[in-house]
Amino acid sequence: MLDDFMVRAALAGIGVAVAAAPLGCFVVWRRMAYFGDATAHAAILGVALSLAFSMSIFIGTMVVALLMALTVSVLSGRGYAMDTLLGVLAHSALAFGLVAVSFLSGVRIDLMAYLFGDILAVSRGDLAVIWGGAALVVLLIGWRWSALLTSTLNEDLAHASGLDPKREQLVLTLALAITVAVAIKVVGVLLIAAMLIIPAAAARPLSRTPEGMALAAGAIGTLSAIVGLRAAYVLDTPAGPSIVCVAALTFLATSVIKSARPAA
């Protein structure tokens, strides 16, 4: 069954949706969209370093994404507006990554595949990495779910409950780095943030509880992956962007449904 490239692509898309769903909810609740975007942009530098040192792309992108996220956390609140800091770091990391790739002599690299994803080229080994990373993210978020919700709701309440909001932020940072590393093959650096944010935002009008929103986001992400791949196959369009387009249309649909509901 896994010899069929479309089956492997669908499984890869579902794996990314599973990883991105619970994490994307916290990105939306904490208004961390630019934070996720900056971490994703840094991944291309991780790709360059991985190729330069002949190491795993997954390890390289995860390490660089984690370093980017930690850098943002350390520098925030030190006289820079958060959006300015994220803009500088995100675009600088992307630019340095692209320049670093150009210095790799003797290494053939399809840069477009890393920028926009190449889900149709996913191998069995890639599937193992994607689903292993997705399982790790789900376990990590599930383990700290209550603590993460409390610190997201109110930091003072978290302190009163004996929780450390900075530690919970670190958990999210680690989960974000893992998600970026597993998603780069599927949707690429430029679309990872979209798969984090759009399914979660689309699920919000349909949900009454945080757990319900996470499950709905996972379902929407999975549906987007399957329908987007089918649309790409039929219409001969890029697979990664097609998946994001389906997610965006789903967000539009749930927004219309929310607007059509009578006010309570």
Side-chain angles (χ1 to χ4, degrees), residues 77-99:
R78 297 196 176 187
Y80 296 100
M82 179 58 77
D83 58 343
T84 301
L85 181 63
L86 289 173
V88 170
L89 292 177
H91 297 297
S92 298
L94 180 60
F96 277 110
L98 294 174
V99 170

PDB file of all heavy atoms in Angstrom, residues 77-99:
ATOM      1  N   GLY A  77      10.581  41.773  25.445  1.00  0.00           N
ATOM      2  CA  GLY A  77      10.491  42.585  26.657  1.00  0.00           C
ATOM      3  C   GLY A  77      11.755  43.334  26.978  1.00  0.00           C
ATOM      4  O   GLY A  77      11.926  43.828  28.087  1.00  0.00           O
ATOM      5  N   ARG A  78      12.683  43.448  26.013  1.00  0.00           N
ATOM      6  CA  ARG A  78      13.936  44.169  26.252  1.00  0.00           C
ATOM      7  C   ARG A  78      14.037  45.430  25.401  1.00  0.00           C
ATOM      8  O   ARG A  78      15.094  45.742  24.856  1.00  0.00           O
ATOM      9  CB  ARG A  78      15.129  43.248  25.989  1.00  0.00           C
ATOM     10  CG  ARG A  78      15.177  42.059  26.928  1.00  0.00           C
ATOM     11  CD  ARG A  78      16.527  41.382  26.920  1.00  0.00           C
ATOM     12  NE  ARG A  78      16.601  40.302  27.878  1.00  0.00           N
ATOM     13  CZ  ARG A  78      17.707  39.632  28.168  1.00  0.00           C
ATOM     14  NH1 ARG A  78      18.845  39.949  27.557  1.00  0.00           N
ATOM     15  NH2 ARG A  78      17.701  38.654  29.048  1.00  0.00           N
ATOM     16  N   GLY A  79      12.919  46.110  25.272  1.00  0.00           N
ATOM     17  CA  GLY A  79      12.926  47.385  24.555  1.00  0.00           C
ATOM     18  C   GLY A  79      12.479  47.309  23.118  1.00  0.00           C
ATOM     19  O   GLY A  79      12.407  48.333  22.437  1.00  0.00           O
ATOM     20  N   TYR A  80      12.184  46.101  22.613  1.00  0.00           N
ATOM     21  CA  TYR A  80      11.725  45.947  21.241  1.00  0.00           C
ATOM     22  C   TYR A  80      10.253  45.542  21.237  1.00  0.00           C
ATOM     23  O   TYR A  80       9.825  44.706  22.039  1.00  0.00           O
ATOM     24  CB  TYR A  80      12.532  44.876  20.511  1.00  0.00           C
ATOM     25  CG  TYR A  80      13.994  45.198  20.337  1.00  0.00           C
ATOM     26  CD1 TYR A  80      14.945  44.645  21.195  1.00  0.00           C
ATOM     27  CD2 TYR A  80      14.424  46.057  19.336  1.00  0.00           C
ATOM     28  CE1 TYR A  80      16.298  44.932  21.051  1.00  0.00           C
ATOM     29  CE2 TYR A  80      15.773  46.350  19.182  1.00  0.00           C
ATOM     30  CZ  TYR A  80      16.698  45.792  20.042  1.00  0.00           C
ATOM     31  OH  TYR A  80      18.027  46.091  19.898  1.00  0.00           O
ATOM     32  N   ALA A  81       9.495  46.129  20.331  1.00  0.00           N
ATOM     33  CA  ALA A  81       8.127  45.674  20.135  1.00  0.00           C
ATOM     34  C   ALA A  81       8.169  44.259  19.573  1.00  0.00           C
ATOM     35  O   ALA A  81       9.024  43.936  18.746  1.00  0.00           O
ATOM     36  CB  ALA A  81       7.389  46.611  19.179  1.00  0.00           C
ATOM     37  N   MET A  82       7.255  43.392  20.026  1.00  0.00           N
ATOM     38  CA  MET A  82       7.301  41.986  19.649  1.00  0.00           C
ATOM     39  C   MET A  82       7.181  41.799  18.135  1.00  0.00           C
ATOM     40  O   MET A  82       7.914  40.988  17.539  1.00  0.00           O
ATOM     41  CB  MET A  82       6.187  41.214  20.354  1.00  0.00           C
ATOM     42  CG  MET A  82       6.141  39.731  20.016  1.00  0.00           C
ATOM     43  SD  MET A  82       7.684  38.851  20.386  1.00  0.00           S
ATOM     44  CE  MET A  82       7.551  38.695  22.160  1.00  0.00           C
ATOM     45  N   ASP A  83       6.277  42.551  17.481  1.00  0.00           N
ATOM     46  CA  ASP A  83       6.125  42.365  16.043  1.00  0.00           C
ATOM     47  C   ASP A  83       7.381  42.797  15.284  1.00  0.00           C
ATOM     48  O   ASP A  83       7.773  42.178  14.291  1.00  0.00           O
ATOM     49  CB  ASP A  83       4.892  43.120  15.525  1.00  0.00           C
ATOM     50  CG  ASP A  83       4.955  44.611  15.810  1.00  0.00           C
ATOM     51  OD1 ASP A  83       5.762  45.028  16.668  1.00  0.00           O
ATOM     52  OD2 ASP A  83       4.187  45.363  15.180  1.00  0.00           O
ATOM     53  N   THR A  84       8.049  43.851  15.776  1.00  0.00           N
ATOM     54  CA  THR A  84       9.299  44.288  15.158  1.00  0.00           C
ATOM     55  C   THR A  84      10.386  43.236  15.324  1.00  0.00           C
ATOM     56  O   THR A  84      11.099  42.893  14.366  1.00  0.00           O
ATOM     57  CB  THR A  84       9.782  45.608  15.781  1.00  0.00           C
ATOM     58  OG1 THR A  84       8.779  46.601  15.605  1.00  0.00           O
ATOM     59  CG2 THR A  84      11.079  46.071  15.147  1.00  0.00           C
ATOM     60  N   LEU A  85      10.516  42.712  16.521  1.00  0.00           N
ATOM     61  CA  LEU A  85      11.529  41.693  16.812  1.00  0.00           C
ATOM     62  C   LEU A  85      11.312  40.446  15.959  1.00  0.00           C
ATOM     63  O   LEU A  85      12.249  39.914  15.351  1.00  0.00           O
ATOM     64  CB  LEU A  85      11.470  41.332  18.302  1.00  0.00           C
ATOM     65  CG  LEU A  85      12.472  40.291  18.801  1.00  0.00           C
ATOM     66  CD1 LEU A  85      13.892  40.795  18.643  1.00  0.00           C
ATOM     67  CD2 LEU A  85      12.179  39.960  20.271  1.00  0.00           C
ATOM     68  N   LEU A  86      10.053  39.997  15.867  1.00  0.00           N
ATOM     69  CA  LEU A  86       9.750  38.807  15.080  1.00  0.00           C
ATOM     70  C   LEU A  86      10.002  39.037  13.596  1.00  0.00           C
ATOM     71  O   LEU A  86      10.514  38.160  12.896  1.00  0.00           O
ATOM     72  CB  LEU A  86       8.292  38.391  15.306  1.00  0.00           C
ATOM     73  CG  LEU A  86       7.972  37.812  16.686  1.00  0.00           C
ATOM     74  CD1 LEU A  86       6.475  37.596  16.829  1.00  0.00           C
ATOM     75  CD2 LEU A  86       8.711  36.509  16.917  1.00  0.00           C
ATOM     76  N   GLY A  87       9.650  40.237  13.118  1.00  0.00           N
ATOM     77  CA  GLY A  87       9.887  40.557  11.712  1.00  0.00           C
ATOM     78  C   GLY A  87      11.362  40.542  11.379  1.00  0.00           C
ATOM     79  O   GLY A  87      11.780  39.981  10.350  1.00  0.00           O
ATOM     80  N   VAL A  88      12.177  41.142  12.226  1.00  0.00           N
ATOM     81  CA  VAL A  88      13.625  41.191  11.990  1.00  0.00           C
ATOM     82  C   VAL A  88      14.218  39.786  12.000  1.00  0.00           C
ATOM     83  O   VAL A  88      14.961  39.389  11.081  1.00  0.00           O
ATOM     84  CB  VAL A  88      14.319  42.071  13.054  1.00  0.00           C
ATOM     85  CG1 VAL A  88      15.834  41.923  12.968  1.00  0.00           C
ATOM     86  CG2 VAL A  88      13.927  43.532  12.880  1.00  0.00           C
ATOM     87  N   LEU A  89      13.901  39.009  13.017  1.00  0.00           N
ATOM     88  CA  LEU A  89      14.487  37.678  13.154  1.00  0.00           C
ATOM     89  C   LEU A  89      14.000  36.724  12.067  1.00  0.00           C
ATOM     90  O   LEU A  89      14.788  35.946  11.509  1.00  0.00           O
ATOM     91  CB  LEU A  89      14.175  37.108  14.538  1.00  0.00           C
ATOM     92  CG  LEU A  89      14.865  37.807  15.714  1.00  0.00           C
ATOM     93  CD1 LEU A  89      14.403  37.199  17.037  1.00  0.00           C
ATOM     94  CD2 LEU A  89      16.380  37.685  15.595  1.00  0.00           C
ATOM     95  N   ALA A  90      12.693  36.769  11.744  1.00  0.00           N
ATOM     96  CA  ALA A  90      12.134  35.849  10.757  1.00  0.00           C
ATOM     97  C   ALA A  90      12.759  36.057   9.385  1.00  0.00           C
ATOM     98  O   ALA A  90      13.253  35.113   8.755  1.00  0.00           O
ATOM     99  CB  ALA A  90      10.620  36.017  10.684  1.00  0.00           C
ATOM    100  N   HIS A  91      12.758  37.291   8.924  1.00  0.00           N
ATOM    101  CA  HIS A  91      13.258  37.552   7.579  1.00  0.00           C
ATOM    102  C   HIS A  91      14.782  37.456   7.515  1.00  0.00           C
ATOM    103  O   HIS A  91      15.340  37.068   6.478  1.00  0.00           O
ATOM    104  CB  HIS A  91      12.771  38.919   7.104  1.00  0.00           C
ATOM    105  CG  HIS A  91      11.272  38.993   6.998  1.00  0.00           C
ATOM    106  ND1 HIS A  91      10.553  38.203   6.131  1.00  0.00           N
ATOM    107  CD2 HIS A  91      10.350  39.724   7.685  1.00  0.00           C
ATOM    108  CE1 HIS A  91       9.258  38.462   6.264  1.00  0.00           C
ATOM    109  NE2 HIS A  91       9.120  39.372   7.198  1.00  0.00           N
ATOM    110  N   SER A  92      15.442  37.784   8.612  1.00  0.00           N
ATOM    111  CA  SER A  92      16.899  37.640   8.638  1.00  0.00           C
ATOM    112  C   SER A  92      17.294  36.173   8.556  1.00  0.00           C
ATOM    113  O   SER A  92      18.204  35.796   7.809  1.00  0.00           O
ATOM    114  CB  SER A  92      17.471  38.259   9.916  1.00  0.00           C
ATOM    115  OG  SER A  92      17.212  39.643   9.976  1.00  0.00           O
ATOM    116  N   ALA A  93      16.612  35.331   9.322  1.00  0.00           N
ATOM    117  CA  ALA A  93      16.922  33.894   9.305  1.00  0.00           C
ATOM    118  C   ALA A  93      16.662  33.302   7.928  1.00  0.00           C
ATOM    119  O   ALA A  93      17.454  32.497   7.423  1.00  0.00           O
ATOM    120  CB  ALA A  93      16.082  33.174  10.360  1.00  0.00           C
ATOM    121  N   LEU A  94      15.551  33.702   7.296  1.00  0.00           N
ATOM    122  CA  LEU A  94      15.247  33.202   5.965  1.00  0.00           C
ATOM    123  C   LEU A  94      16.309  33.646   4.958  1.00  0.00           C
ATOM    124  O   LEU A  94      16.788  32.847   4.142  1.00  0.00           O
ATOM    125  CB  LEU A  94      13.869  33.690   5.531  1.00  0.00           C
ATOM    126  CG  LEU A  94      13.405  33.251   4.133  1.00  0.00           C
ATOM    127  CD1 LEU A  94      13.343  31.733   4.037  1.00  0.00           C
ATOM    128  CD2 LEU A  94      12.040  33.860   3.813  1.00  0.00           C
ATOM    129  N   ALA A  95      16.701  34.913   5.043  1.00  0.00           N
ATOM    130  CA  ALA A  95      17.705  35.429   4.113  1.00  0.00           C
ATOM    131  C   ALA A  95      19.052  34.744   4.313  1.00  0.00           C
ATOM    132  O   ALA A  95      19.703  34.332   3.336  1.00  0.00           O
ATOM    133  CB  ALA A  95      17.849  36.944   4.302  1.00  0.00           C
ATOM    134  N   PHE A  96      19.487  34.616   5.563  1.00  0.00           N
ATOM    135  CA  PHE A  96      20.752  33.935   5.828  1.00  0.00           C
ATOM    136  C   PHE A  96      20.699  32.475   5.367  1.00  0.00           C
ATOM    137  O   PHE A  96      21.694  31.928   4.877  1.00  0.00           O
ATOM    138  CB  PHE A  96      21.101  34.010   7.316  1.00  0.00           C
ATOM    139  CG  PHE A  96      21.771  35.285   7.722  1.00  0.00           C
ATOM    140  CD1 PHE A  96      21.112  36.216   8.517  1.00  0.00           C
ATOM    141  CD2 PHE A  96      23.061  35.577   7.308  1.00  0.00           C
ATOM    142  CE1 PHE A  96      21.730  37.407   8.890  1.00  0.00           C
ATOM    143  CE2 PHE A  96      23.693  36.748   7.670  1.00  0.00           C
ATOM    144  CZ  PHE A  96      23.019  37.674   8.472  1.00  0.00           C
ATOM    145  N   GLY A  97      19.544  31.842   5.540  1.00  0.00           N
ATOM    146  CA  GLY A  97      19.392  30.462   5.086  1.00  0.00           C
ATOM    147  C   GLY A  97      19.526  30.334   3.582  1.00  0.00           C
ATOM    148  O   GLY A  97      20.211  29.438   3.079  1.00  0.00           O
ATOM    149  N   LEU A  98      18.878  31.246   2.857  1.00  0.00           N
ATOM    150  CA  LEU A  98      18.956  31.218   1.392  1.00  0.00           C
ATOM    151  C   LEU A  98      20.382  31.492   0.901  1.00  0.00           C
ATOM    152  O   LEU A  98      20.851  30.869  -0.054  1.00  0.00           O
ATOM    153  CB  LEU A  98      17.984  32.240   0.800  1.00  0.00           C
ATOM    154  CG  LEU A  98      16.498  31.948   1.023  1.00  0.00           C
ATOM    155  CD1 LEU A  98      15.645  33.104   0.528  1.00  0.00           C
ATOM    156  CD2 LEU A  98      16.092  30.659   0.329  1.00  0.00           C
ATOM    157  N   VAL A  99      21.071  32.429   1.568  1.00  0.00           N
ATOM    158  CA  VAL A  99      22.455  32.717   1.202  1.00  0.00           C
ATOM    159  C   VAL A  99      23.350  31.525   1.513  1.00  0.00           C
ATOM    160  O   VAL A  99      24.225  31.151   0.717  1.00  0.00           O
ATOM    161  CB  VAL A  99      22.959  33.978   1.945  1.00  0.00           C
ATOM    162  CG1 VAL A  99      24.468  34.150   1.758  1.00  0.00           C
ATOM    163  CG2 VAL A  99      22.232  35.221   1.442  1.00  0.00           C
TER     164      VAL A  99
END
